[in-house]
Amino acid sequence: MKPYSILLVDDEESILRSVKRSLTKAGYNVDTADCGESAIDKLDKSSYELIITDLLMPGLTGMDVLKAAKKINDEVIVIILTAHGPVDSLLNAKKNNVTDYLLKPINPADLQFRVSTCLERYELQRQIKDLQAKLSVAEEKIAQYENKG
């Protein structure tokens, strides 16, 4: 299986460097964007299983990135980063299918755990979807067989 692709979005260069280094060491393919506009441009050109985005950025926010990502792929996993995000912003993020959130400063062990847990969830969702499709095909074949008999 190919390594998972992650898009990391943050307007702080130090966050981009440290998180990318940590995730790359763990074997993930990590692409970065320093603003919401750049992230949405990358979303139009590439596919990602996971997006990690800062909540509050100048210009387009993490919520804007989340909404754009979900329009392109509603199964994408999104983790929000925030140093001091208001509670109502986090609640709004949860309503918009954010999978998880991390508080800054980011603990590398916590980051690794949350990313691996989210990607396990992503993989399980894919497997469930595949099994449901196979079940649907099997049910159609059974119905066709019963109608012949």
Side-chain angles (χ1 to χ4, degrees), residues 28-44:
Y28 301 111
N29 290 327
V30 182
D31 198 3
T32 61
D34 62 0
C35 64
E37 292 84 350
S38 177
I40 290 173
D41 184 50
K42 288 179 185 252
L43 288 169
D44 286 336

Side-chain angles (χ1 to χ4, degrees), residues 5 10 22 27 30 39 46 50 53 56 60 65 81 89 93 98 103 116 121 124-125 129 132-133 141 144-145:
S5 294
D10 202 301
S22 177
V30 182
S46 299
L50 174 66
T53 182
L56 302 174
L60 296 178
V65 172
L81 297 177
S89 293
V98 166
L103 297 175
S116 66
R121 177 180 172 179
L124 288 172
Q125 288 173 335
K129 189 174 182 178
Q132 287 172 332
K141 287 181 180 180
Q144 289 173 356
Y145 178 77

